[in-house]
Structures are given as structure tokens and as C-alpha cells.
Amino acid sequence: MTATMPTDGVGITALDSAAGLPDGWEMVIGLEVHAELATKTKLFSGARNEFGGEPNRHIDPTTLGLPGSLPVLNEKAVEHAIRVGLALNCAIQPSVFSRKNYFYPDMPKDFQISQYDLPIDGEGWLDLPNGKRVGIERAHLEEDTGKSTHVGGSGRISGAEYSLVDYNRAGVPLLEIVGRPDLRSAEDAATYVSELREILVAIGASDGKLEEGSMRVDANVSVRRTGDPFGLRCEIKNVNSLRSMRRAIDYEAARQIDLIESGGRVRQETRHWDEASGRTLSGRSKEQAEDYRYFPEPDLLPVVPDPEWIERIRATLPLLPAQRRARLAGAAGVPATEASVVIAVERHLDDLAVGAIEAGADPLRTLTHVEHNLAVEGADKLTARAFAALVTMEVGGQLTATQTKAVLAELIDGGGDGDPRAIASAKGYEAMDSGSLEGAIDTVIAANVDQWERFVADPAVRGKLSGFFIGQVMKATKGKADGKAVTAYLQQRAGG
Amino acid sequence: MSGTAAALAADVRAGRRTARSVVEEHLAAIGAGDGEIHAFNLVTTDEALAQADAVDAKVARGEDPGPLAGVPVALKDNLCTRGVPTTCSSRILEGWRPPYDATVVQRLAAAGGIMVGKTNLDEFAMGSSTENSAFGPTRNPHDTSRVPGGSSGGSAAAVAAGFAPLALGSDTGGSIRQPAALCGVVGLKPTYGRVSRYGLVAFASSLDQIGPFAATVADAALLYDVIAGHDALDSTSIPEALAPTAPGVATGVDGLRVGIISEMLDGSLAPDPDVARQLRAAAAALTAAGAEVDEVSVPAAIYGLSAYYLIAPAEASSNLARFDGVRYGLRVDAPTTGEMQRRSRTAGFGPEVKRRIMLGTYALSAGYYDAYYGKAQRVRTLIMRDFDAAYERFDLLLSPTSPTTAFAVGAKSDDPLTMYLNDVYTIPSNLAGHPAISVPFGTGDDGLPVGVQLLGPNLSEATMLRAAAVLEEAAK
Amino acid sequence: MLVMADRITRDEVAHVARLALLDLAEDELDRYTEQLAAVLDHAGDVEALDLADVPPMAHPMPLRNVFRADELTPALDRDEVLSQAPAAEDGRFRVPAILGEEP
Ligand SMILES: [Mg+2]
Ligand SMILES: [Zn+2]
């Protein structure tokens, strides 16, 4: 299942398997995800919300926090926040913006406008494909910061000679989604992020690109001996892909366990993931004391979404991944946690699968094809009608598995809505009648008496030897034989 | 100087005078008198003449040049003016040329008003005497050994000295009304949200309002009508449209119910006796004009000062964080950004600004929020409730504007708390968000102007201006 | 019922100055400690009020749901903005070395 997670540009298939934790230890992970919302303009002004471009082009007095400038809230950002809240089963509640005061050159006003004690989205949850439920503590709106480029030294912040600040990103609307510490493995954490990303993209709230920073993850990691209360946590920042997040979490949990087992103590702190060394590093000591002095933003008014608005937004929500899994699982008569179901939804082939099943195709055969034979370009164009017809031919014994695959590939090449019967007969695929198949098998047995005697004598080697016989029969029939039918006849002739 | 703003605009609109001649006359007055007064941080001669010529060209083309056609207006130097230095009388903003205009500046220009300069203020509007300016104090035109009040002392003095018939100021705790009183001019603080704050360099966002200074009540109404109204760039702007106030200014107060705030007459916050005497005379004048006048208690008002000196510094400490040497204004170089920011702020802010930043930072800091800021916001609710109760019985309230007439330069600058007490009558209106106006009414024992204050509920400006006109007439 | 804090100390004033990014000289520290204490002491008069059931007032106007449409408005001219910056380079604001990541 992990091999097919969305990878955000970095293959997690290559992930070195996480070193398991020592016996009796458990890791506890809570994720904070910042998602940039897909608006045309910024959270508090009409400057463009766009990734990249020339520096300091998407600026206006409010973006730059010029003296005298004022914020006015973007309605679309609020709508997105409500949409995400509904998708995450959150209570949508009256909210208030506050000022989080701290000095940093990326932050034009030297305070960030963020929702503090009254976030727009309250308590909710997200169900992972594997059936685990992760609590959502809250999700709140806030403005993004600008970006510094560090010049001199290594080009990183430490050791740089000076820095250059671009405020294009300042004021971009963010939704900070705070998950409960319900995750117990790096793999589940990655699944959570993938699932959340799927949801955000599905509802159009964010483009969810980790590598471009439009979705950013901070991981709170702690460890404990099973059954103990939660340990002190470290917040890991700077994970820019699912792969680095998994590595960072596994590294950090191992570090904390080592520390505790060697008599040390975990210090609650922010640590930064260093991709190059594969380690988390303690944040450098701050130049200033930390006390954010939150207070309600006097330039903005409370947001009290009326129920009618919330319902209008709810009505526009598409089916979410969990609902789509449930729908396919229901149609196929399998559990929603079934890998093939999860994969079908991930690849957005669930509509096709449900359609084919509804058109009479065998559910399990349909899911098998979706899982194994449809990870190809153009698969999304395949029509349910054509797909169902093909599966039905296969299950009816008119095509062998190999032939079915070939027809499927040609169907997709031809745009997805061809007639599988026509393709099959054009290829000369005609299923052998059972009489000629049995004749062909008898001929092969006669030519391989040694193997046949072993097949009959020892049921333990039959699996292996049936492969041999199928291969021979296929050769003799130029691939027209159905492997399953060959096996069945071999078993029958061997007497069991 | 010649004529009211209303008369000047009428002359320019009718083609009887050119805007250029009006502006030149006022620029000459500034040139002759401002060396002594120091009402202006900057006189915008070139811009003013260009704007005047544009108005004259409109008149020549037969286009409507606007209700303030050719009228010189002095702008407090905390209003952003595109390309024109806006300093807030602070070293930290010295030389800053904003890349945009405040909404009120745009409205003034659209109405044909002419900006003649940027006026001095207490740094970032923090003060009651205009002595806290990085560029030196402004003097009271009635007696140059005295302060003009503050923080909009430059704007008040400019109108009192005849440098401009109109000026704009900002009022966070009395910064329009108190200098108006001390300089003998009219000053109006509108209802919170009536005038857009967009482009006003913020002091305390939940209290700040921009408002007019004028030599007459009718002129104050004229300018108020130009600047008031909804602005989509200010979230706290009141959406509804209201009728202009100027046409009704002279309609009298017959039947109007006016309450004298007893705590501010002879209660715990009593003013100097000469000021109290004028207040009683003003009450008598309103009675004589047909108003029903009685005393009323607004008990929570006496806590206004305490709440104010927690709320305003708290908001200011956050609003003024952005002055950090990164994007504009003063930078004092250092090897690291944090050190550069600290040095720039230390060098750029004056002592009163630092004091209030410190006070506000403390009031918001961990463990103290509830005890200070949170509590002050509750006091604010109490003040509003007491006002609401008073406005069930009265249309307007009456009080002194300031406990004293203009005091000597230097007299209170060593003792912040004594200085803060200047605003004891004006602060409650800011906390409640209500409008209030100061009108000159006679003089004190020292021969200096006394101002009386009319207070009203939200959006009662029209009523308030009518009553103010009655007092103006009676004081003649 | 909320209670005002104890009298502000010189150490607290020094801490607050650090939070506010202000350097205070020794004599300034003394003076500010004195002056802040006087103002806070005066503010203590609200102890006389029963505020337990009084809600805080954050805004004078009871407005709600003030939004703008998600529509572009003109950007500022970068050159005009950077001409006001203490230091600029390559279309960006230049600052000395930054110690420490964003909190
Ligand atoms: Mg966070
Ligand atoms: Zn955040």
C-alpha cells in the first residue's frame, strides 16, 4: 500500500524501511499542517496570491504592513476554511482574529494575524484508509509570511552574510490544521498527510503541493513506554516531502528513545530536519524572548457564519475519498480498507470500477484489474461499459488472463470506449473449446512423463509443476489456453 | 485670514476668486507666522499650488470643483500622503514618502480641498501638548509660551493662527478636542467607524478616529461631510449612508434634552473653577435656546482614564512593532537583523513613545493579559452601558473638554500621569466609540480659550453640530 | 474576580524592553520602572468595580462578517516601495544576518 501513496515528487517507494522501535516503546505523533488556500488574492488585501514570480511584485500597503494600512478579510478564504472544516467533520464556529506578536523580518507588521482562542473550525476527525481515526483539534485561518534568501556563507540562514526579503508570499491565506496526537507510526503520519492532501485538492481548497510549500507539515513527536502517559514532545520543522517527514519522524523517535535509555531527558523544543545529514537539529537559540502577547485584532471583526451559508457550502462538496472508498467497497462487497479499494480511489478509478460493477462485471476481477493493470496513462478514459464487457468476457472464459490484458491495453490505446469483442476477434483470440484444450494438455503430458509422474505422486510440488505445464500448453496453443482451465484439468486428471 | 471655508469655497466655485489666490494668501500667512508657531512639519507649497490650479481649471471648464473648492486644509502628519513625507513627528519615519494616500486625503482632493502642509503632533499622536515631537513643540497662537494641546496641536494651531480654515486631526483619547479647546477652535471626533482610518498611521486601532478642525461649527460640518462615509478598505467602517450634517447646523436645539455629566462638573473629576464657570454658562445658553438641561451621572466614566492607559498602549505596542528598520524609515546598522532592529527602534522612538510601548507590552505579556488588557476591555463595556443609560434620558451630554486652559510649555512634561489627566473628559467617548465635539466657549481667568464638550450616542453628529452652533452663537 | 498584579519590578521592565526590542540605559530603566508603576497604580482604581459578569468590549461597533470579494486590486510599484527601503538588492529588501529561524 505504501508503494502507491502519492509521492509529491519524491518517491517514497525507495524509502528505507523504518527501523522498528525497541520493544516496549511507542511513538506519538501529532501533525500541524499549514495549507495555502486557493484564492486569487491574499487573506487581507487584493494583492495576487501566486507562487513564484519576480520578488516583491504581489505587494500593496497591507501586504507590506505599511503604516496606515488595514486588513479586510477575503470572503473566499473563509469559504475555503468552512469547506475544509466540513470535510474534516469539524464544528464550524464563530471565530475571532488575534495578533501574534513577534519580531521577524519576514513578517511585515512584526505580528501575524491568526485565529487564536476562537478558530473557525473546531473539533473534527479524519478517517485514514486503513480504518484508523485521527482527531482534528482545530483549523484556523492565518496569514503567511514573506521569504528570505540568505546570501553568503552556505546560502543557509546560519553563516549567511546578509539576507534579502521578498514579501510576495506575505499575506497569502493559510489554514493551519492541527491534528490530535493520535498517530503511532511514521507510515500512518504519511498516510494522514496524503489523505488530507487528497481532501484539500478534491474540495478545491488548496493545491496541496508539499514541494512548493503550499502544504507544510510540522510534526510533534514524542515517545513513551507503552502504557505510560505522553512524553515531552519536539516539534520537527522543515519537512518538505512525505519521504523526509517519515525519515524525520523515525529519526526523532529513535533519538528520543536513545536519549532516555541512556539516562537523559527530552527537552521540549523545535528541531529542524536536515535532509543532507538525515538528522533533526536543535533550533538555534533565539535572539529574543518568546512571548507572543496575543490579543484580539482590533482592525478585524468576528466571523459568524450563518447556518444557511454553511449549508450552501456543504451542498457544493464533492464525494470525499473516504466516501468514495465506502461506495466502491459497498458495490464490490469488500471492506473499505481493502488495498485494491484504497488504490482505486487514490488513482481516481473508483467511478470506473463502480460503473463496471454496476454494469454487471465481476467485482473482484474488476478490482484486480484496477489494482494491477490500470496504472497506465489513459486509464481514466476507459468507459465502464467497455471495461465491464471485457471483464465479463474474461470471467466467462472467452478470453484468457493474458488475452484480457492485451485487449485492455488496446482498448485504452484506442481511447477507452472501443468494443472488446471486436478487438479480441481482430487479434484472433478465440477461446479454445474444452475438448481441444484437453487434447492439447494430454499431448503435453505424454511428452513429459517424468514431470507428470511427480505431479501425480506429490501434491506439494504441484504448484511449481503446474507452472511448467501451463507454459508448455501455452506454447502448444500459441497462448490461446486459459491458465486457470489448464490447472483445473491437471488437478482433475491427477485425481485430486 | 479672510473668510470661512464655506465662504471661500462659494467664491471659488462661483469664479469670484481663484483657488490660487486663496492658497497663495494662506501660504503667505504660514510663511509669515509659522516660524514662531511651528504648526507645520512641512508646507507643501508646490503641491498646493498645483492642486489650486487644477481646481481653477475645473471652474474654467464649467465642471463642479467640489464643495471644498480651493479651501486650504492642513493635514496632521500621521495621515499618509503619496510621495509627500509623512513623519508622525518621529525620527523613525523621518523622510518616509508613503506610496499611497489615506482615504481621507483622496476624499479631500476629490472635494477640491487643497493640502497646504503636514502638521506637527506629539510623536505617533502620543501626548496632550505637542511637546513630544521629534521636531520641536508647537506653540499656542493665543500665547506662544503655552502649549496648543495635543496630540493634534499643529492642526489646531494652524486653524487658530489662520494658516488654514480647515485641518484634519486624529483623536484617540481627546487628541482633536483637547487642542481645539486650548486653541479656541472647533474640533469634532466622529463616531468610531464614520471616517475611514485607512492611511491613518495607527496609534490605538480600536480608539482612533480622524476628524475636522475648523474656526466655525458650520465649517467643521462641511469638512466632516466630505470625509465621512463607508470605505471598503477599513473593516470597521460603518456601512450605512447618512444625510449630510451641514444643511441642518443652524436649526437650533428647541426641545433637545442635554445632560451635564455631574462627575465632570463638581464631582471627583471637577475642572478648574474658571472652566466650571464657563461650563455652567454654556448650559444656561442651551437652556435659553430652548433645550432642557439637567445633571446626569455617568459613574463608570471616572474609570475611563485607567482603562485607556492600558488599552491604548497595548494596541500601540503592537501597531508600532513594524517600525523595525527593515522596509522603510530609520535604520541604525548592526551586524545582525535583531540588533539592527533594536538599535533602530531605540534611536528612532522618543521617550513618551517608548514609555507607552513598554506599558502596552507589559499589559499584554504572559500572565498579565487578564489583569490588565482584559480587565480594561470590561471597564469599557461598563462605560458604554452607563452612557447608554444616560442616553435614554438625554439626547446629548455636556462636559468640559479639558480641566484647564492651555498650560505653559514644559509645565507637565516631566510627569506622565499628570499629563494623562488632561484627557480625563475626552477619553470616555473614545472608549465607547461615541462622537464628541469641542466648541470654544469664552475664556478662563488667564484670558485663554475654554472649550466645552458635547457628547452623543453613535451617529449623533448632526444633533451635536446643531447644539454646538447654538453655543458658538451664544459665545459671540 | 481578577486581581491586578503586584507592583512592576525593574527586572520586569528590563524583560519588557527586550520583548519590545528597545535598549534602555540604567537610568532609563529606573525612570520607566517608577513611571510605569505610577500609571499601573492609578489603573488599580478599577479594582473597585465588579467586572465578573461584564463581557470585554473589543470593538465599539458591533459589526460582523465584514468581507471583501476575492478580486485583484493594483499592486504597488516595486521601485517606489524599494526607494523608501533602508537597503535593497535584486528587487528585495536587504537586511543584516538573521540569527535564528522564524519562531
Ligand atoms: Mg503552529
Ligand atoms: Zn500557523
Side-chain angles (χ1 to χ4, degrees):
Chain A
M1 214 175 79
T2 39
T4 52
M5 292 298 240
T7 55
D8 299 284
V10 179
I12 61 162
T13 41
L15 184 76
D16 31 2
S17 67
L21 296 187
D23 267 359
W25 285 95
E26 178 177 61
M27 64 172 102
V28 176
I29 307 152
L31 298 182
E32 287 174 21
V33 174
H34 284 83
E36 288 184 352
L37 297 176
T39 56
K40 286 205 281 291
T41 65
K42 297 196 175 175
L43 184 53
F44 298 121
S45 74
R48 193 183 290 278
N49 168 11
E50 190 180 271
F51 176 75
E54 278 186 57
N56 291 307
R57 291 296 186 195
H58 311 321
I59 54 171
D60 58 15
T62 302
T63 298
L64 290 174
L66 293 185
S69 64
L70 293 172
V72 185
L73 181 57
N74 184 340
E75 180 165 22
K76 188 81 184 175
V78 178
E79 203 178 298
H80 280 320
I82 294 174
R83 189 170 282 128
V84 175
L86 292 173
L88 297 179
N89 311 290
C90 296
I92 310 300
Q93 52 193 30
S95 59
V96 165
F97 285 94
S98 290
R99 291 185 184 178
K100 178 182 185 180
N101 294 284
Y102 63 90
F103 287 93
Y104 204 77
D106 287 355
M107 182 58 76
K109 302 178 297 298
D110 289 301
F111 60 77
Q112 181 195 32
I113 304 177
S114 174
Q115 297 184 323
Y116 177 51
D117 48 351
L118 296 168
I120 182 159
D121 298 327
E123 206 69 52
W125 74 83
L126 185 156
D127 285 333
L128 298 187
N130 61 18
K132 293 178 191 163
R133 173 164 291 188
V134 182
I136 303 292
E137 187 185 319
R138 56 183 283 160
H140 65 260
L141 283 163
E142 62 186 24
E143 55 181 340
D144 208 341
T145 61
K147 253 182 168 166
S148 309
T149 308
H150 308 294
V151 183
S154 60
R156 315 231 309 260
I157 187 164
S158 56
E161 272 169 54
Y162 61 93
S163 298
L164 298 173
V165 193
D166 167 19
Y167 293 106
N168 279 349
R169 199 181 67 176
V172 163
L174 292 176
L175 191 71
E176 180 175 341
I177 302 157
V178 183
R180 295 233 174 252
D182 293 344
L183 296 161
R184 295 291 178 270
S185 70
E187 183 177 327
D188 278 357
T191 305
Y192 169 86
V193 173
S194 298
E195 182 73 5
L196 183 55
R197 182 186 171 282
E198 280 292 315
I199 292 171
L200 294 176
V201 172
I203 65 180
S206 176
D207 65 13
K209 293 180 181 161
L210 270 106
E211 70 279 12
E212 282 186 10
S214 67
M215 190 169 166
R216 305 196 280 272
V217 183
D218 299 333
N220 289 294
V221 178
S222 66
V223 296
R224 62 174 171 184
R225 290 197 167 85
T226 316
D228 279 2
F230 288 157
L232 280 181
R233 65 195 155 84
C234 292
E235 184 174 16
I236 315 301
K237 293 192 180 267
N238 197 34
V239 287
N240 301 320
S241 67
L242 288 185
R243 175 183 151 82
S244 49
M245 183 184 78
R246 294 174 52 143
R247 290 178 67 203
I249 290 172
D250 282 331
Y251 172 86
E252 178 60 19
R255 184 190 71 87
Q256 292 182 14
I257 291 169
D258 277 357
L259 191 63
I260 296 168
E261 286 190 333
S262 62
R265 224 186 253 169
V266 175
R267 197 158 58 93
Q268 188 156 337
E269 63 177 344
T270 299
R271 298 178 67 86
H272 291 262
W273 171 247
D274 182 54
E275 189 72 47
S277 67
R279 303 190 314 171
T280 65
L281 304 173
S282 185
R284 293 172 54 99
S285 64
K286 300 271 155 54
E287 263 194 291
Q288 43 175 307
E290 228 165 76
D291 179 348
Y292 295 130
R293 290 160 283 136
Y294 283 100
F295 73 104
E297 165 59 277
D299 289 326
L300 289 167
L301 296 141
V303 178
V304 188
D306 70 85
E308 213 178 283
W309 189 26
I310 296 172
E311 289 319 307
R312 268 206 313 278
I313 294 171
R314 194 193 302 275
T316 66
L317 288 180
L319 277 187
L320 299 172
Q323 293 166 317
R324 286 162 49 207
R325 284 193 296 270
R327 183 181 65 141
L328 176 54
V334 299
T337 49
E338 191 71 29
S340 58
V341 169
V342 173
I343 288 165
V345 167
E346 247 172 45
R347 294 191 188 149
H348 293 268
L349 293 174
D350 49 316
D351 270 348
L352 172 67
V354 169
I357 292 166
E358 280 172 355
D362 176 71
L364 297 183
R365 209 53 212 147
T366 299
L367 287 177
T368 303
H369 281 299
V370 168
E371 183 177 357
H372 297 292
N373 303 330
L374 286 179
V376 292
E377 208 172 317
D380 54 325
K381 300 262 175 14
L382 188 59
T383 66
R385 189 185 52 177
F387 186 34
L390 178 63
V391 173
T392 303
M393 286 170 74
E394 183 192 18
V395 174
Q398 290 156 269
L399 291 174
T400 66
T402 315
Q403 289 170 337
T404 303
K405 258 198 236 179
V407 173
L408 187 56
E410 195 152 326
L411 254 181
I412 291 169
D413 280 349
D417 196 22
D419 177 0
R421 279 167 216 85
I423 295 170
S425 63
K427 284 181 157 308
Y429 294 163
E430 272 153 58
M432 301 178 75
D433 60 69
S434 52
S436 37
L437 176 65
E438 286 166 15
I441 298 171
D442 290 341
T443 309
V444 168
I445 289 172
N448 298 281
V449 178
D450 284 359
Q451 284 86 344
W452 177 245
E453 279 173 359
R454 274 163 51 211
F455 188 94
V456 173
D458 184 1
V461 302
R462 282 186 188 178
K464 205 167 133 200
L465 281 172
S466 66
F468 165 78
F469 281 107
I470 289 169
Q472 293 300 310
V473 173
M474 286 294 178
K475 207 189 273 176
T477 62
K478 299 192 171 64
K480 283 183 187 173
D482 176 7
K484 266 196 258 169
V486 175
T487 309
Y489 180 71
L490 291 172
Q491 294 282 0
Q492 184 200 322
R493 229 191 103 165
Chain B
M1 255 325 88
S2 58
T4 63
L8 288 171
D11 282 352
V12 171
R13 289 169 61 86
R16 290 188 292 269
R17 280 193 73 172
T18 61
R20 178 172 263 267
S21 74
V22 173
V23 170
E24 280 174 343
E25 189 182 42
H26 286 86
L27 289 172
I30 295 168
D34 200 44
E36 193 181 2
I37 305 297
H38 186 215
F40 288 93
N41 285 338
L42 177 72
V43 180
T44 50
T45 304
D46 295 345
E47 290 87 348
L49 291 173
Q51 273 188 299
D53 290 345
V55 168
D56 288 332
K58 269 193 177 175
V59 174
R61 288 196 301 268
E63 293 168 21
D64 185 349
L68 293 180
V71 179
V73 185
L75 300 185
K76 189 175 183 178
D77 201 14
N78 60 355
L79 295 168
C80 288
T81 45
R82 180 161 186 187
V84 174
T86 298
T87 68
C88 296
S89 288
S90 181
R91 291 280 173 220
I92 212 159
L93 270 183
E94 201 172 355
W96 181 55
R97 292 168 192 269
Y100 77 110
D101 275 327
T103 295
V104 290
V105 172
Q106 285 183 353
R107 289 192 179 180
L108 265 188
I114 314 290
M115 169 176 72
V116 290
K118 307 292 293 284
T119 61
N120 198 12
L121 61 149
D122 286 299
E123 186 179 357
F124 284 105
M126 297 177 184
S128 311
S129 66
T130 317
E131 292 168 288
N132 302 329
S133 164
F135 311 125
T138 296
R139 305 277 170 165
N140 192 316
H142 293 271
D143 175 349
T144 54
S145 73
R146 311 277 178 137
V147 302
S151 65
S152 315
S155 286
V159 172
F163 297 155
L166 298 175
L168 286 180
S170 64
D171 189 317
T172 306
S175 278
I176 290 173
R177 291 159 289 160
Q178 185 257 12
L182 271 50
C183 288
V185 299
V186 178
L188 169 67
K189 182 203 93 77
T191 305
Y192 184 83
R194 256 311 260 167
V195 179
S196 170
R197 293 181 292 117
Y198 189 75
L200 165 67
V201 180
F203 164 12
S205 311
S206 75
L207 304 165
D208 296 339
Q209 264 296 283
I210 296 168
F213 286 96
T216 70
V217 173
D219 278 0
L222 186 64
L223 179 50
Y224 167 73
D225 288 343
V226 165
I227 60 172
H230 183 250
D231 179 15
L233 296 175
D234 177 355
S235 304
T236 62
S237 176
I238 297 170
E240 60 246 55
L242 292 175
T245 60
V249 161
T251 54
V253 293
D254 197 27
L256 206 71
R257 300 162 304 163
V258 179
I260 305 176
I261 302 175
S262 51
E263 288 84 359
M264 299 181 184
L265 178 61
D266 46 20
S268 53
L269 305 178
D272 282 359
D274 51 346
V275 173
R277 198 164 55 244
Q278 293 295 7
L279 185 69
R280 287 199 179 83
L286 288 169
T287 308
E292 299 163 24
V293 181
D294 201 351
E295 282 198 26
V296 61
S297 171
V298 184
I302 64 169
Y303 299 102
L305 194 71
S306 298
Y308 178 84
Y309 276 98
L310 296 172
I311 292 166
E315 294 181 8
S317 69
S318 173
N319 284 330
L320 270 59
R322 72 193 69 192
F323 301 101
D324 62 1
V326 173
R327 291 157 298 274
Y328 42 78
L330 180 75
R331 171 182 293 188
V332 179
D333 269 314
T336 68
T337 288
E339 187 55 32
M340 177 277 287
Q341 291 174 316
R342 185 162 38 243
R343 286 191 201 169
S344 301
R345 290 167 62 77
T346 300
F349 292 133
E352 181 62 25
V353 173
K354 286 180 189 165
R355 186 151 43 234
R356 298 208 199 184
I357 289 174
M358 296 285 295
L359 187 53
T361 303
Y362 179 70
L364 291 175
S365 63
Y368 295 121
Y369 178 90
D370 286 337
Y372 292 122
Y373 190 80
K375 188 175 286 188
Q377 294 287 46
R378 292 168 204 272
V379 174
R380 209 171 165 178
T381 303
L382 278 193
I383 290 171
M384 180 124 103
R385 285 179 184 171
D386 282 1
F387 271 128
D388 286 347
Y391 291 128
E392 280 173 18
R393 290 173 52 211
F394 297 96
D395 299 302
L396 297 176
L397 302 179
L398 182 67
S399 81
T401 305
S402 173
T404 68
T405 57
F407 47 92
V409 172
K412 300 186 183 183
S413 38
D414 286 340
D415 182 357
L417 193 55
T418 308
M419 185 69 95
Y420 297 169
L421 284 165
N422 277 299
D423 298 328
V424 68
Y425 308 137
T426 48
I427 278 171
S429 303
N430 298 85
L431 291 171
H434 294 161
I437 191 170
S438 179
V439 203
F441 199 88
T443 53
D445 295 341
D446 49 12
L448 291 169
V450 168
V452 298
Q453 177 178 228
L454 289 159
L455 305 85
N458 284 335
L459 302 176
S460 63
E461 281 87 345
T463 312
M464 186 173 286
L465 285 158
R466 274 162 52 206
V470 165
L471 291 176
E472 179 179 55
E473 193 55 35
K476 275 183 183 162
Chain C
M1 188 56 214
L2 309 162
V3 176
M4 288 282 179
D6 289 338
R7 191 178 168 88
I8 188 168
T9 65
R10 198 172 182 281
D11 283 351
E12 282 176 312
V13 172
H15 171 70
V16 167
R18 276 194 298 278
L19 281 178
L21 286 193
L22 294 171
D23 279 329
L24 294 187
E26 293 299 307
D27 60 321
E28 285 177 307
L29 266 181
D30 293 335
R31 195 161 60 247
Y32 282 140
T33 305
E34 205 53 46
Q35 290 170 340
L36 262 49
V39 176
L40 293 167
D41 193 46
H42 183 272
D45 67 3
V46 303
E47 293 300 331
L49 296 169
D50 182 3
L51 298 170
D53 298 322
V54 181
M57 167 176 159
H59 292 93
M61 278 288 158
L63 299 171
R64 298 268 175 285
N65 298 335
V66 178
F67 302 126
R68 43 172 277 275
D70 185 24
E71 285 161 11
L72 282 175
T73 50
L76 285 173
D77 178 68
R78 186 174 76 181
D79 294 339
E80 186 179 353
V81 167
L82 292 178
S83 76
Q84 299 299 302
E89 188 177 308
D90 288 343
R92 284 169 283 195
F93 297 85
R94 181 177 164 154
V95 295
I98 302 170
L99 294 190
E101 308 277 351
E102 181 133 30

